[in-house]
Amino acid sequence: MSPDAAPPLEVHDLTVAYHKRPVLYGIDMVAPAGALIGVVGPNGAGKSTLIKAIMGVVPISGGWVKLFGKPFRQAVNRVGYVPQRESVDWDFPVSVFDVVMMGRYGRLGLFKRPGKADRDIVRDCLDKVKMLPYAGRQISNLSGGQQQRVFLARALAQESDLYFMDEPFAGVDAATEAAIIELLTELKARGKTILVVHHDLPTAQKYFDRILMLNMRLVAYGPTEEVFNMENLQKAYGGRLNILTEVAEREKAVAE
Amino acid sequence: MMKEDAISKQAFSFAADLRRFTQIIFSRICVSSAFHLRLKKTIFILWLLFGTSLAHAAKIGDLRETDWLEQAARFWSLSDPAVVNALIGSVLMGVCCGLLGAFIVVRKLSLMGDTLSHAVMPGVALGFLWAASKNPLAIFIGATLAGLAGTWLVGAIKKTTPVKEDGALGMVLAGFYAVGICLFVMIQRSPTGNKSGIDKFLFGQAAALSTQDLWLMGIVTACALLAVALFYKELLTTSFDVGFARSSGMATGMLHSLLMSLLAFAVVISLQATGVVLVSAMLITPAATAYLLTDRMGVMLTLAALIGVGSAVLGAFLSFLGHSLPTGPFMVVGAGVAFTVAYFAGPRHGLITRWFRQASRRRRVRDENTLKALYHLAEQSNFAEESFNLGQLAAQRNESLPETEERAAALARAGFATVVQATENGLPGTHRNVQLTPSGWRRASEVVRNHRLWELYLTNAAQYAADHVHDDAERVEHILGEEIVRELEKRLNYPQLDPHGKPIPQTLQPAPAGDSAATGYRQPGS
């Protein structure tokens, strides 16, 4: 029996509204330990909003969220987050090292300064994403893929048990994509739970062992092979036939 | 009789200037660039200074050189207690505004600082009326309340109407300022108005700082220093990535309120020294200057504080030289000069620096083109020859001999080649030969490889005709990094020949394991 009897993530009847306009209705889900979950759905489906609401980054208007059986505030140090790359100003006067160090700040708490152990962890995490040679660089000189790796390193530095990643594959090069997949696999093998917001349906099927299909409400959630079918896709994506046919083609190709 | 006349004259010109001010302020709403505004404002105010203070102007005219020196000596000997107060005040203000300004600038809240500084004005007047004198504490409380009311109003307008933040900021800024001006005029016109010293709040007068003022400034500056020291990592994280900060449990709302309150306090304590109109420039200009000079937040904070102190002290000094001219404009001009210097000579973004960087890039391109020519010569000899005389090189480059000599010398300086006297039958000849060093050979091969790889990529992947790709490759060969080259090689399946049928040189650095063994491409000349 693991010390955590409670699941890493439990979402019950979660409702979120922006300026009183609901964007998510009554979401229910439980994430088991060691699950690699892809959150998919069309634009404006509330994918990012879901993970932000779980972490308290945006306020929720109904329902509740429990992380390891506790409210978010009490489990904050067990959560790691990779926001969308576009959400920050990459001209900000900090180095790659500084950004990754931000992953340690939550654990340190108020009034404490990072020590040697923290710096070592930061270097380790940078090394894992192959960005250690860039540690001293200012972040504005990085390519898209490198920026993404910095954010991944920062999340690794959080040493969490539950990770949320917002479109980590968006606009990255092939090498970074491979590095992310390797990292996800490794985290999963270490029993970490990961929720990844993902835009690309064909690869979603390949990368994740569970899929949460979203379109303002929960369309389907479960093991990828059970959830990833025409009926659910139709429900989530409505009349967007071009994607559906493309995916159907791929499904056929996979089945053959 | 004379005195009254002068007073009414002053009041008249003051009212006329108010009109102009209001015009300017209202016209500002339409313009979006904060910096542009500040520049215009500064110019306007400088002009205004000469307009309003005819008396001062007369004084400036009377100043002789000895008088300037005397004033300078009086200032730096610190014998005058007013000078000491002005100096202490300037230093405190520079530190406080610089520190907070750095966070304001990186959080893109510069316009908020501007609005806040104008919004405090009615509060200053009300505090003044309430205490019936220039009581620092009453003014501090009044100004802080007005500032907070202004900030709140901006938020309220944004939340309840479709008007966006810039519009809300512009309206609140101008509206509060207008109310403040009305109250100021009322105070000025009141029987004791002219002796009140409230006009000092418009453009600032560091020499008029009282000990009480200094205490307030000291307390606020200490609070700002303490807050930045204690909450540095939280302020840094929330400024960079507020979502991430919240997800790691930081009280982002509270930190924002803390920063805004400190900002309001900083504006209020700076009013005496800089004046309402220009205090926001003391927040933003030193921080923006520091932003040009460094790419680390810690350094930026220190630099912003130093530049703030420097321009504040300079402003106080210049104002003292001119016998109590308003301090604010001089401080802001000082900060503006600092910005201008950074703009031209900054280590990363400076114009001069950029010019140097471009010059060195041009130099590198020239060197690489010469190396490439040497490679071509070697290739023509089927890699049998290793050294080439300068005449050959000149012909290959289509250059004159003196030019080529210069190029060869440049290569020698960079360690890419050696230039030696050619030998003819074992005796020193008349020609001079150039021979590549190992590092020069490597660089030459890289440039040629880049060129041919890129040509191949354009013809293969982008379907260009073979005669369309040379010019593009001429530019690209100098900028391809090792990482992109590897990617190109991989995508082109480790090619051996370029579209013109010439062999692509092997890089002398080891190829990635596993890849080269199977497809390995040949050594030049092998």
Side-chain angles (χ1 to χ4, degrees):
Chain A
M1 192 73 194
S2 77
D4 284 316
L9 173 64
E10 198 180 351
V11 176
H12 179 80
D13 195 20
L14 180 75
T15 298
V16 183
Y18 275 134
H19 304 300
K20 299 196 175 144
R21 193 172 62 87
V23 280
L24 281 177
Y25 291 97
I27 308 291
D28 284 297
M29 73 164 290
V30 176
L36 177 51
I37 304 166
V39 180
V40 299
N43 281 327
K47 304 187 293 287
S48 297
T49 307
L50 174 65
I51 61 170
K52 283 182 184 162
I54 292 170
M55 290 181 295
V57 174
V58 298
I60 62 176
S61 46
W64 51 256
V65 172
K66 275 187 183 163
L67 307 173
F68 303 99
K70 292 176 191 148
F72 174 75
R73 284 268 141 215
Q74 288 167 36
V76 69
N77 285 336
R78 302 185 65 177
V79 172
Y81 179 32
V82 179
Q84 281 185 26
R85 253 185 318 129
E86 293 79 22
S87 65
V88 304
D89 169 16
W90 289 93
D91 281 333
F92 200 90
V94 282
S95 66
V96 166
F97 188 89
D98 295 337
V99 172
V100 179
M101 184 56 95
M102 288 177 192
R104 304 299 304 159
Y105 290 167
R107 272 172 185 274
L108 278 170
L110 281 175
F111 312 127
K112 282 202 201 85
R113 294 186 158 276
K116 191 183 174 300
D118 296 301
R119 285 194 291 276
D120 287 343
I121 290 168
V122 167
R123 269 190 285 270
D124 278 353
C125 296
L126 275 171
D127 197 32
K128 248 180 221 157
V129 298
K130 301 192 180 62
M131 285 296 287
L132 193 55
Y134 298 84
R137 278 220 206 163
Q138 204 246 329
I139 54 173
S140 63
N141 302 320
L142 304 178
S143 72
Q146 290 171 333
Q147 291 176 349
Q148 195 63 61
R149 290 192 223 179
V150 173
F151 267 10
L152 283 168
R154 181 174 69 173
L156 288 178
Q158 291 183 287
E159 297 190 318
S160 310
D161 299 315
L162 173 60
Y163 285 94
F164 296 93
M165 303 187 180
D166 204 343
E167 307 237 8
F169 295 102
V172 302
D173 52 290
T176 304
E177 188 170 332
I180 300 173
I181 294 164
E182 198 186 312
L183 208 65
L184 291 177
T185 319
E186 192 207 314
L187 287 171
K188 192 174 113 84
R190 279 161 48 201
K192 314 288 186 188
T193 310
I194 313 148
L195 261 82
V196 182
V197 172
H198 195 65
H199 207 82
D200 186 45
L201 280 177
T203 47
Q205 210 178 349
K206 207 166 66 189
Y207 294 162
F208 308 113
D209 44 40
R210 280 172 168 258
I211 293 280
L212 192 152
M213 219 175 271
L214 206 63
N215 194 354
M216 295 181 73
R217 65 195 173 84
L218 189 69
V219 174
Y221 172 56
T224 306
E225 59 277 10
E226 285 173 28
V227 168
F228 221 85
N229 57 45
M230 283 305 283
E231 196 193 335
N232 284 336
L233 286 170
Q234 190 77 45
K235 268 196 236 165
Y237 286 85
R240 303 187 65 182
L241 216 71
N242 48 350
I243 289 179
L244 292 181
T245 38
E246 194 187 326
V247 174
E249 287 291 335
R250 275 166 196 258
E251 275 198 316
K252 212 174 102 193
V254 170
E256 275 168 4
Chain B
M1 193 62 199
M2 270 290 283
K3 209 174 177 185
E4 263 180 39
D5 199 16
I7 290 168
S8 73
K9 220 181 202 169
Q10 235 180 17
F12 176 73
S13 72
F14 188 62
D17 294 322
L18 284 189
R19 247 198 333 271
R20 282 180 182 284
F21 247 127
T22 331
Q23 273 171 7
I24 288 282
I25 295 301
F26 275 110
S27 72
R28 297 167 46 137
I29 301 176
C30 317
V31 192
S32 58
S33 156
F35 188 73
H36 198 72
L37 281 181
R38 195 147 300 110
L39 201 72
K40 263 165 89 177
K41 195 159 71 174
T42 312
I43 294 166
F44 172 71
I45 282 160
L46 280 177
W47 173 84
L48 195 71
L49 276 177
F50 293 106
T52 42
S53 43
L54 279 175
H56 287 315
K59 248 189 222 164
I60 293 171
D62 286 345
L63 284 179
R64 279 183 301 275
E65 210 171 316
T66 48
D67 198 29
W68 286 79
L69 287 173
E70 219 170 88
Q71 280 288 85
R74 257 181 75 198
F75 188 85
W76 293 115
S77 67
L78 305 178
S79 54
D80 190 336
V83 168
V84 178
N85 279 6
L87 268 180
I88 296 175
S90 302
V91 170
L92 289 174
M93 190 191 78
V95 170
C96 189
C97 286
L99 278 184
L100 296 174
F103 282 109
I104 299 305
V105 165
V106 296
R107 284 176 172 240
K108 304 182 185 70
L109 287 173
S110 302
L111 262 181
M112 189 56 126
D114 208 10
T115 304
L116 198 59
S117 65
H118 286 78
V120 298
M121 204 157 147
V124 172
L126 287 176
F128 194 92
L129 285 172
W130 180 53
S133 73
K134 218 184 88 196
N135 178 334
L137 200 64
I139 289 172
F140 184 84
I141 293 169
T144 309
L145 289 179
L148 293 179
T151 335
W152 175 82
L153 195 60
V154 170
I157 292 173
K158 220 169 65 178
K159 211 175 266 174
T160 55
T161 72
V163 175
K164 300 289 178 287
E165 174 150 323
D166 61 329
L169 284 168
M171 276 196 296
V172 170
L173 181 156
F176 273 60
Y177 191 63
V179 173
I181 292 280
C182 293
L183 291 170
F184 267 48
V185 175
M186 270 171 56
I187 294 169
Q188 287 267 337
R189 293 226 174 129
S190 70
T192 54
N194 261 321
K195 291 189 246 38
S196 62
I198 194 160
D199 54 315
K200 303 278 195 287
F201 282 102
L202 266 187
F203 300 127
Q205 185 44 268
L209 288 171
S210 68
T211 317
Q212 265 174 305
D213 290 326
L214 289 183
W215 270 110
L216 267 180
M217 294 178 97
I219 291 167
V220 171
T221 308
C223 286
L225 276 169
L226 202 67
V228 170
L230 287 181
F231 302 115
Y232 176 71
K233 59 186 200 298
E234 284 79 12
L235 284 170
L236 182 75
T237 312
T238 53
S239 301
F240 175 62
D241 189 347
V242 71
F244 181 83
R246 219 170 288 166
S247 84
S248 44
M250 292 178 184
T252 51
M254 238 141 78
L255 283 162
H256 185 74
S257 305
L258 173 78
L259 197 63
M260 291 316 279
S261 316
L262 283 171
L263 184 66
F265 292 153
V267 164
V268 174
I269 57 151
S270 310
L271 287 181
Q272 272 278 5
T274 330
V276 169
V277 190
L278 292 175
V279 62
S280 65
M282 285 309 287
L283 280 169
I284 297 158
T285 314
T289 310
Y291 188 45
L292 288 191
L293 293 175
T294 177
D295 52 17
R296 293 292 183 279
M297 194 64 200
V299 184
M300 181 173 163
L301 283 170
T302 319
L303 277 179
L306 286 177
I307 295 165
V309 169
S311 34
V313 169
L314 187 73
F317 173 62
L318 289 178
S319 123
F320 190 80
L321 272 191
H323 290 281
S324 314
L325 283 175
T327 22
F330 286 106
M331 290 181 176
V332 176
V333 168
V337 168
F339 183 87
T340 312
V341 171
Y343 178 75
F344 284 107
R348 284 185 311 134
H349 308 291
L351 279 188
I352 297 172
T353 328
R354 249 185 294 177
W355 183 82
F356 270 110
R357 217 164 28 215
Q358 267 160 18
S360 94
R361 204 169 297 149
R362 274 196 299 273
R363 224 169 16 244
R364 191 170 64 89
V365 168
R366 255 200 323 262
D367 282 356
E368 289 181 353
N369 284 337
T370 317
L371 287 171
K372 199 172 58 173
L374 285 166
Y375 184 94
H376 287 153
L377 285 175
E379 195 174 42
Q380 282 158 25
S381 78
N382 240 336
F383 301 99
E385 301 279 337
E386 284 194 336
S387 93
F388 304 95
N389 82 50
L390 289 176
Q392 264 180 298
L393 182 58
Q396 176 74 25
R397 284 290 300 149
N398 218 352
E399 285 172 341
S400 70
L401 196 61
E403 269 179 316
T404 307
E405 270 174 12
E406 225 172 88
R407 300 276 180 274
L411 285 189
R413 274 198 301 277
F416 284 142
T418 47
V419 182
V420 289
Q421 206 72 30
T423 50
E424 283 166 27
N425 308 325
L427 296 164
T430 47
H431 297 300
R432 303 218 303 147
N433 273 1
V434 53
Q435 180 169 2
L436 288 174
T437 62
S439 77
W441 181 249
R442 185 167 66 215
R443 190 75 203 115
S445 308
E446 278 169 4
V447 174
V448 174
R449 173 203 60 189
N450 290 357
H451 183 102
R452 292 179 180 171
L453 263 182
W454 188 247
E455 283 189 338
L456 191 65
Y457 178 71
L458 285 185
T459 49
N460 270 24
Q463 309 290 315
Y464 278 93
D467 62 342
H468 280 49
V469 293
H470 178 78
D471 292 344
D472 196 42
E474 280 290 295
R475 276 184 299 108
V476 170
E477 66 192 15
H478 303 292
I479 55 172
L480 287 183
E482 207 57 34
E483 211 171 310
I484 302 178
V485 167
R486 293 273 180 246
E487 184 63 32
L488 283 175
E489 287 175 337
K490 206 159 101 190
R491 285 199 194 177
L492 295 167
N493 200 16
Y494 302 94
Q496 303 189 356
L497 297 177
D498 80 351
H500 310 291
K502 287 187 179 154
I504 297 171
Q506 156 82 294
T507 57
L508 295 183
Q509 279 149 14
D515 284 337
S516 56
T519 52
Y521 47 133
R522 66 180 170 184
Q523 287 283 354
S526 65

